């Protein structure tokens, strides 16, 4: 099937089956183009919770689709490719984490949403990169905290809040591989371009960034900035939305510094138009979770969404 027919078929099936397509900013351009909503993980979780379609097709990675199922269990949630995992989720097996947690019974557990449902079920509060700093700041200063699984995001939150959260030793292999040296090299070539980075990047890279934020926060920053070009330290899928919103601005990626070609998430790119079509047609692969996991994992996510509303992060 050629791409145009594939697109038409996806739209036809979507209507026929009363489905909605949620897409993350790191998805392939052609998937973002077809999605009903494109967003960061926080906005997409909220969309999934509020959605009354029979089917949610989640174009993102597994933990995102799982979060949609946990928040809206009566819907059928599909993920075009079940192999679309995440290195952060994989770095934190539930059994090991349960032992770590048991060693620190006086700590509350905050988990970054990039983790499995099993880890969410062991957590007191979930966060995303879009709300982590504000959520942590809202807690009593003497609250002891375990932060899992991203040591880069956790370390960054420690540095800006002055907290001393205990960090699980996980990383996003995509953002962690981005090198500060590559950014410094690009800054020499483009001295007028602010460096914007996702907080999953390593501390050395974050130290040379002008702005650090979630995918949505980076988009907001670019829109509001008077600068005409930007050095972007995050996954390249976001360039689609950056260019769409700012056709007059220029975006330089780390791959423009020849020493670095590390800015694609292989998991995110597993979803294709062909797989999106097949999953709508066959209504699989489907996210299935047992009722107990849903119940336990739901509490800290709902707590996050409620706190985000109270703190003015979400409407
Ligand atoms: P956002 O929450 O910023 O969308 O990030 C999700 C993610 O997986 C980043 O690598
Ligand atoms: Fe996971 Fe990193 Fe890919 Fe985001 S970019 S889904 S954190 S591996």
């Amino acid at each position: 099937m050629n791409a145009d027919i594939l697109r038409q078929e996806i739209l036809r099936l979507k209507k026929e089956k009363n489905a909605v397509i949620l897409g993350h900013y790191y998805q392939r351009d052609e998937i973002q183009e077809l999605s009903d909503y494109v967003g960061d993980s926080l906005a997409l979780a909220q969309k999934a919770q509020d959605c009354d379609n029979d089917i949610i097709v989640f174009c993102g990675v597994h933990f995102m689709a799982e979060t949609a199922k946990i928040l809206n269990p009566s819907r059928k949630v599909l993920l075009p490719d079940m192999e679309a995992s995440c290195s952060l989720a994989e770095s934190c097996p539930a059994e090991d984490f349960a032992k770590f947690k048991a060693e620190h019974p006086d700590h509350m557990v905050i988990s970054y949403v990039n983790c499995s449902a099993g880890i969410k079920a062991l957590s007191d509060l979930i966060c995303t990169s879009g709300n982590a700093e504000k959520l942590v700041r809202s807690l009593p200063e003497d609250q002891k905290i375990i932060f899992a699984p991203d040591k880069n995001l956790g370390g960054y939150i420690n540095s800006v809040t002055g907290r001393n959260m205990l960090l699980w030793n996980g990383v996003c292999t995509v953002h962690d591989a981005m090198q500060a040296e590559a950014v410094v090299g690009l800054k020499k070539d483009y001295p007028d371009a602010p460096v914007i980075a996702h907080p999953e990047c390593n501390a050395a890279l974050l130290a040379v960034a002008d702005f650090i934020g979630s995918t949505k926060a980076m988009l907001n920053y670019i829109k509001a900035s008077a600068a005409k070009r930007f050095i972007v330290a995050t996954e390249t899928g976001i360039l689609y939305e950056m260019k769409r919103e700012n056709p007059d601005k220029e975006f330089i990626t780390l791959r423009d510094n020849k020493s670095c070609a590390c800015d694609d998430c292989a998991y995110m790119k597993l979803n294709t138009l062909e797989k999106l079509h097949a999953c709508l047609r066959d209504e699989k692969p489907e996210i299935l979770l047992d009722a107990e996991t849903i119940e336990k994992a739901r509490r800290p996510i709902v707590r996050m969404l409620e706190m985000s509303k109270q703190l003015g992060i979400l409407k």
Side-chain angles (χ1 to χ4, degrees):
M1 232 187 275
N2 78 31
D4 280 341
I5 299 179
L6 212 46
R7 272 190 213 98
Q8 282 166 26
E9 268 302 286
I10 290 168
L11 294 175
R12 185 188 67 74
L13 285 165
K14 191 172 70 117
K15 201 166 169 201
E16 181 187 301
K17 299 190 180 213
N18 186 28
V20 66
I21 303 177
L22 305 184
H24 188 265
Y25 289 126
Y26 293 164
Q27 289 292 286
R28 292 171 185 274
D29 295 3
E30 57 274 25
I31 290 191
Q32 293 191 51
E33 200 185 313
L34 270 188
S35 297
D36 295 294
Y37 301 99
V38 182
D40 66 359
S41 29
L42 181 60
L44 292 176
Q46 193 184 32
K47 274 281 176 237
Q49 184 185 39
D50 296 346
C51 141
D52 57 7
N53 297 75
D54 296 315
I55 295 178
I56 300 173
V57 185
F58 209 112
C59 292
V61 290
H62 188 267
F63 76 81
M64 295 177 177
E66 225 176 34
T67 304
K69 181 69 184 175
I70 292 164
L71 285 170
N72 208 338
S74 63
R75 313 291 157 195
K76 186 177 260 191
V77 178
L78 307 174
L79 177 65
D81 190 322
M82 253 330 161
E83 300 297 312
S85 178
C86 166
S87 58
L88 274 170
E90 287 182 1
S91 77
C92 198
E95 229 174 84
D96 299 349
F97 187 69
K99 279 189 210 142
F100 181 68
K101 182 183 163 181
E103 287 162 16
H104 305 281
D106 53 343
H107 285 58
M108 83 176 270
V109 175
I110 304 182
S111 294
Y112 185 32
V113 70
N114 297 40
C115 65
S116 66
I119 298 297
K120 289 185 175 82
L122 291 166
S123 304
D124 300 299
L125 178 63
I126 300 301
C127 71
T128 71
S129 51
N131 60 20
E133 183 181 336
K134 283 193 176 157
L135 292 185
V136 170
R137 282 191 195 281
S138 75
L139 298 168
E141 281 195 13
D142 58 352
Q143 174 68 60
K144 293 181 178 169
I145 301 170
I146 289 174
F147 188 91
D150 188 0
K151 70 167 184 189
N152 287 342
L153 175 63
Y156 169 67
I157 301 297
N158 274 345
S159 75
V160 292
T161 61
R163 303 269 174 156
N164 188 22
M165 300 188 296
L166 259 183
L167 308 178
W168 183 261
N169 189 20
V171 291
C172 160
T173 49
V174 181
H175 287 89
D176 193 56
M178 295 179 186
Q179 296 299 314
E181 292 73 25
V183 171
V184 172
L186 288 169
K187 269 188 146 182
K188 283 194 190 118
D189 296 339
Y190 305 94
D192 55 314
V195 176
I196 55 173
H198 196 279
E200 289 171 8
C201 293
N202 60 62
L205 192 147
L206 294 180
V208 294
D210 298 294
F211 179 78
I212 299 165
S214 71
T215 46
K216 181 65 183 171
M218 289 189 276
L219 287 161
N220 290 344
Y221 175 86
I222 290 167
K223 240 199 265 177
S225 168
K228 284 289 171 210
R229 49 190 187 180
F230 303 83
I231 297 168
V232 180
T234 192
E235 214 275 349
T236 51
I238 200 166
L239 295 173
Y240 174 78
E241 188 63 13
M242 286 179 177
K243 289 177 186 161
R244 200 185 67 78
E245 288 182 351
N246 309 278
D248 56 333
K249 296 185 178 176
E250 189 189 343
F251 302 100
I252 298 120
T253 65
L254 296 211
R255 134 180 343 203
D256 295 316
N257 176 301
K258 302 284 177 275
S259 67
C260 191
C262 46
D263 45 10
D264 261 336
C265 173
Y267 298 116
M268 283 281 182
K269 299 309 191 249
L270 280 176
N271 296 326
T272 60
L273 273 191
E274 286 78 7
K275 289 180 201 170
L276 171 55
H277 172 253
C279 106
L280 258 172
R281 183 193 60 206
D282 305 338
E283 299 187 21
K284 62 177 193 194
E286 182 182 357
I287 301 284
L288 296 168
L289 288 168
D290 63 81
E292 193 188 338
T293 305
I294 290 183
E295 175 57 26
K296 284 189 181 155
R298 190 181 156 78
R299 266 177 263 154
I301 310 176
V302 169
R303 189 176 171 195
M304 165 187 82
L305 292 172
E306 280 168 2
M307 285 176 74
S308 296
K309 282 183 196 157
Q310 282 159 13
L311 294 166
I313 305 162
L314 282 179
K315 281 188 198 129

